[in-house]
Amino acid sequence: MLGKTIAEINIGDTADFTKSVTEFDIYSFAGITGDFNPAHINAEYAHDTAFGKTIAHGILSIGFISNVLGTQLPGPGSITISLDCNFRRPVFIGDTITATVEVTKKDEIRNRVWLNARCTNQRGEIVVEGEAKMMPPLKKPEHV
């Protein structure tokens, strides 16, 4: 199954994914990436930081955006050209994060789409925002 082709994508199309962040998610991410920054995994250390407790890796939230781009819009078979994001707020254990993308521009000749990308927490606060530039799949397979 492939995602949407450039012809199937319209400006204003949206997709999203929601997940509650667990301590297991943070420790798993640290193990996978090797990022054992104590701000993420050491509650005693984190107690004395600006946030007062451990925070999730910012890149974990970007992973939620990647999920939406790679599985929904444009979807399977698409390629990320660039993803430029800014971190606005920390994500804590127990926060429920919703990653949302919205198509803002498309170039059918070059087979490119631009999407506003953001993550919000359960209070509707933006924790990450940015823009993705994607290359959708060229065509659907003929033998489906």
Side-chain angles (χ1 to χ4, degrees), residues 80-100:
T80 302
I81 304 298
S82 65
L83 180 57
D84 182 23
C85 291
N86 295 299
F87 301 101
R88 299 295 183 204
R89 294 179 175 274
V91 173
F92 300 104
I93 294 169
D95 280 353
T96 299
I97 303 300
T98 299
T100 305

Side-chain angles (χ1 to χ4, degrees), residues 77-127:
S78 62
I79 302 296
T80 302
I81 304 298
S82 65
L83 180 57
D84 182 23
C85 291
N86 295 299
F87 301 101
R88 299 295 183 204
R89 294 179 175 274
V91 173
F92 300 104
I93 294 169
D95 280 353
T96 299
I97 303 300
T98 299
T100 305
V101 302
E102 179 179 359
V103 177
T104 58
K105 178 180 165 185
K106 71 182 205 173
D107 180 342
E108 291 195 38
I109 294 170
R110 295 182 59 226
N111 192 42
R112 301 288 190 271
V113 293
W114 288 257
L115 304 97
N116 174 288
R118 68 184 175 280
C119 290
T120 54
N121 62 22
Q122 66 276 10
R123 292 176 297 282
E125 300 166 329
I126 295 173
V127 297

Side-chain angles (χ1 to χ4, degrees), residues 5-119:
T5 64
I6 194 82
E8 297 171 311
I9 296 171
N10 299 299
I11 292 174
D13 286 353
T14 63
D16 60 54
F17 168 77
T18 301
K19 175 159 186 2
S20 294
V21 176
T22 67
E23 186 174 22
F24 178 79
D25 296 328
I26 294 169
Y27 279 93
S28 296
F29 191 86
I32 290 167
T33 63
D35 181 352
F36 293 98
N37 180 331
H40 305 305
I41 61 165
N42 184 320
E44 187 175 318
Y45 171 86
H47 182 270
D48 294 329
T49 66
F51 303 117
K53 56 185 173 178
T54 55
I55 58 174
H57 301 76
I59 302 301
L60 181 60
S61 294
I62 291 178
F64 300 153
I65 292 169
S66 178
N67 171 325
V68 181
L69 296 170
T71 67
Q72 296 181 60
L73 183 63
S78 62
I79 302 296
T80 302
I81 304 298
S82 65
L83 180 57
D84 182 23
C85 291
N86 295 299
F87 301 101
R88 299 295 183 204
R89 294 179 175 274
V91 173
F92 300 104
I93 294 169
D95 280 353
T96 299
I97 303 300
T98 299
T100 305
V101 302
E102 179 179 359
V103 177
T104 58
K105 178 180 165 185
K106 71 182 205 173
D107 180 342
E108 291 195 38
I109 294 170
R110 295 182 59 226
N111 192 42
R112 301 288 190 271
V113 293
W114 288 257
L115 304 97
N116 174 288
R118 68 184 175 280
C119 290

